[in-house]
């Protein structure tokens, strides 16, 4: 979309000219690389989950977010992932930039961290809407689950975060995956 193209241009400009983004190979370290990437994932979901929940409020849902949920079982990957209203795109991208600033000013940031996070976001968004079953658990934490996002499409009042369900568990909006046959068994 035009909005995403403008945002990508803005991001490329920031990467190239910003004094707070490290670009040298030798400046890549533990703090501004892997730790910054982890914080960026957490901060982005921390901001996005409540905003996404707000988009489900009846006064906003019909005008901004409803057409994204036309597909109860999304399977077309990036096509379904990018099926967003321009206002929703602006909100998500603005929150992402805030998460970038929060991370950069907390632990520093290397351009490789931004590139890695954008790659994870694009891949994760596509997988969330592709019908694949993928779960990433690390150190006992559910970091990513396509099933969690499928449950969000089936139960739009649950699982608002993009990647980690930590914030949904905190907000009381998390629901674990329920297979259709399990759901039918529970109903009987």
């Amino acid at each position: 979309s035009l909005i995403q193209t403008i945002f990508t241009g803005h991001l490329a400009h920031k990467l190239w000219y910003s004094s707070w983004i490290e670009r040298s190979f030798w400046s890549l370290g533990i703090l501004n690389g892997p730790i910054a990437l982890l914080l960026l994932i957490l901060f982005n979901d921390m901001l996005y989950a409540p905003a996404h929940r707000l988009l489900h409020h009846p006064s906003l849902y019909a005008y901004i977010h409803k057409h994204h949920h036309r597909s109860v079982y999304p399977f077309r990957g990036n096509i379904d992932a990018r099926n967003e209203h321009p206002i929703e795109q602006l909100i998500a991208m603005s929150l992402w930039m805030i998460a970038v600033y929060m991370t950069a000013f907390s632990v520093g940031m290397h351009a490789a961290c931004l590139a890695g996070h954008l790659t994870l976001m694009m891949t994760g968004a596509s997988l969330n809407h592709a019908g694949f079953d993928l779960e990433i658990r690390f150190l006992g934490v559910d970091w990513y689950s396509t099933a969690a996002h499928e449950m969000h499409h089936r139960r739009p009042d649950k699982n608002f975060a993009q990647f980690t369900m930590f914030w949904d568990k905190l907000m009381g909006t998390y629901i674990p995956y329920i297979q259709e046959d399990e759901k039918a068994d529970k109903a009987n």
Side-chain angles (χ1 to χ4, degrees), residues 45 48 52 68 71-78 80-82 120-135 143-153 159-165:
D45 263 1
Y48 181 79
H52 186 190
H68 179 76
S71 178
V72 176
Y73 294 98
F75 65 94
R76 298 177 300 171
N78 200 47
D80 286 335
R82 299 291 163 231
L120 287 173
M121 284 185 59
M122 290 185 295
T123 304
S126 292
L127 289 173
N128 276 348
H129 297 87
F132 293 112
D133 189 14
L134 176 67
E135 184 177 320
W143 286 101
Y144 176 72
S145 169
T146 56
H149 193 74
E150 181 185 312
M151 285 305 296
H152 172 69
H153 276 265
N159 299 359
F160 295 102
Q162 291 179 310
F163 295 110
T164 83
M165 290 296 107

Side-chain angles (χ1 to χ4, degrees), residues 24-168:
S24 158
F25 175 78
W26 304 110
S27 63
L28 179 61
I30 297 294
L31 273 180
N32 69 359
I35 291 176
L37 180 60
L38 176 64
L39 284 176
L40 187 51
I41 290 168
L42 291 172
F43 286 157
N44 188 50
D45 263 1
M46 176 186 77
L47 297 171
Y48 181 79
H52 186 190
R53 186 178 186 184
L54 182 64
L55 289 175
H56 282 266
H57 189 275
S59 63
L60 298 173
Y61 183 76
Y63 303 105
I64 298 174
H65 194 58
K66 182 179 180 179
H67 74 276
H68 179 76
H69 280 276
R70 287 185 182 150
S71 178
V72 176
Y73 294 98
F75 65 94
R76 298 177 300 171
N78 200 47
I79 294 169
D80 286 335
R82 299 291 163 231
N83 180 22
E84 300 167 316
H85 191 281
I87 291 174
E88 183 176 358
Q89 289 178 340
L90 285 172
I91 291 168
M93 289 182 287
S94 297
L95 294 174
W96 185 81
M97 281 302 291
I98 292 168
V100 167
Y101 286 120
M102 289 170 64
T103 303
F105 293 116
S106 297
V107 295
M109 184 171 292
H110 193 276
C113 173
L114 279 175
H117 192 258
L118 281 173
T119 301
L120 287 173
M121 284 185 59
M122 290 185 295
T123 304
S126 292
L127 289 173
N128 276 348
H129 297 87
F132 293 112
D133 189 14
L134 176 67
E135 184 177 320
I136 298 173
R137 290 182 58 82
F138 180 66
L139 300 174
V141 177
D142 297 323
W143 286 101
Y144 176 72
S145 169
T146 56
H149 193 74
E150 181 185 312
M151 285 305 296
H152 172 69
H153 276 265
R154 289 167 43 196
R155 289 279 312 271
D157 61 330
K158 303 290 182 189
N159 299 359
F160 295 102
Q162 291 179 310
F163 295 110
T164 83
M165 290 296 107
F166 174 77
W167 304 112
D168 281 291

